[in-house]
Amino acid sequence: MSRVLTIGAAQLGAIQRSHSRADVVARMVALMREAARNGCDLVAFPELALTTFFPRWFMEDQAEIDSFFEREMPSNETAPLFTTARELGLAFTLGYAELTEEEGRTRRFNTQILVGKDGRIVAKYRKIHLPGHAEHEPWRAFQHLEKRYFEVGNLSWPVVRAGADLHSGLFGQMICNDRRWPESYRVMGLQGVEMILLGYNTPVHNPPAPDHDRLGDFHNHLVMQAGAYQNASWVIGVAKCGVEEGCEMIGGSCIIAPTGEIVAQAVTREDELVVARCDLDLGRSYRNSTFNFARHREPAQYRMIVERKGAVLPD
Ligand code: ING
């Protein structure tokens, strides 16, 4: 039986600080309706999809900082996403800033959830690779204070088996900077992931390394295509992009097959739905041959290197 899902990568254009959550949710609902018209089973939204990318500013007033966070999910403002998705028979992923009480204290994470077609939260991921810096660095044209505003995620990279309405697919999630690190994909590859869903907010300009700017779009696709191929998984990468509060962010939302090929990609830096039919079994031939981990990987050798036993390591 074919396990083909129609996936919508719902890229968002810029969200300005003045845009309310209601404004943004309305844009996202419109993308959900377009996805339903295109026969989608699942819609993927970007990282921190409900607000402008606030880590670009140095803030000290905790109430101001927390105004960018969600204390509950769904909330009154985000409920329309859940009711619309259920009405349309859509699963979806959503990136947002999570504020929660856990282990007796207030915790703040850069979070993404997978919501099933029945509106239930199936999986949650909290961003592990937090780029940027923790203190104000006035020399920068804009800040990147994720290390200040978020804790490192504490849920690892779980792979979950979805229900029959998503062909019992094995789904995993990551967020933005995670996609640049091979470990993010491999931890899920070792769990047999069939589709990785990720959102990103990536400035064109990287202040510590301006000479890298010209390669931003290339590196974006490079890392996701490599991760897909090397772990025999679909990778869905969804941008929030355009010029937000004067800061230009890359687009390039795309749907990548386990072959490593980009099968569909965005052509604007606006709200744009990118759609493709994704056969969850397409990675099987890679997992049974080139990337048959049981037959070809040598973890003992890796451990030897990691534990510095008998390996020649660059000093
Ligand atoms: N953004 C960027 C990303 O990893 C960055 C940070 C930009 C890192 C450019 C390196 C180069 O795509 C987030 N939000 O992680």
Side-chain angles (χ1 to χ4, degrees), residues 103-286:
E103 296 170 359
R105 57 194 170 93
T106 302
R107 319 289 295 274
R108 294 175 180 82
F109 297 102
N110 185 341
T111 294
Q112 182 174 297
I113 53 175
L114 169 60
V115 181
K117 292 186 176 181
D118 59 0
R120 281 185 317 105
I121 296 176
V122 174
K124 174 182 281 189
Y125 170 71
R126 289 165 170 167
K127 186 174 183 179
I128 290 168
H129 293 101
L130 297 173
H133 48 106
E135 299 307 325
H136 189 210
E137 296 185 4
W139 61 271
R140 293 172 179 256
F142 50 86
Q143 305 297 299
H144 198 115
L145 289 162
E146 293 193 62
K147 294 182 190 297
R148 183 182 186 86
Y149 299 136
F150 302 118
E151 281 186 60
V152 170
N154 60 350
L155 302 176
S156 183
W157 286 280
V159 171
V160 299
R161 186 175 291 284
D165 59 3
L166 290 174
H167 294 319
S168 306
L170 289 166
F171 292 90
Q173 304 182 90
M174 63 170 82
I175 300 175
C176 205
N177 196 257
D178 286 323
R179 76 190 187 287
R180 299 181 190 277
W181 301 88
E183 293 88 347
S184 312
Y185 302 89
R186 184 45 49 94
V187 167
M188 291 188 266
L190 288 167
Q191 298 172 71
V193 70
E194 294 171 326
M195 181 171 283
I196 295 171
L197 300 144
L198 70 92
Y200 58 91
N201 289 210
T202 300
V204 167
H205 176 51
N206 187 20
D211 50 324
H212 299 179
D213 293 2
R214 69 180 184 83
L215 293 167
D217 290 314
F218 167 68
H219 287 155
N220 180 44
H221 286 167
L222 174 69
V223 293
M224 292 192 285
Q225 288 178 264
Y229 168 62
Q230 290 169 338
N231 294 280
S233 173
W234 287 90
V235 171
I236 319 296
V238 193
K240 174 147 70 66
C241 51
V243 181
E244 277 196 352
E245 302 293 333
C247 179
E248 187 181 0
M249 298 201 292
I250 70 169
S253 301
C254 58
I255 296 175
I256 299 169
T259 62
E261 295 165 295
I262 295 175
V263 298
Q265 70 179 57
V267 293
T268 73
R269 283 184 174 174
E270 304 293 334
D271 293 8
E272 180 180 347
L273 187 75
V274 179
V275 179
R277 286 170 52 78
C278 303
D279 179 353
L280 294 179
D281 289 329
L282 190 58
R284 190 166 290 179
S285 69
Y286 289 88

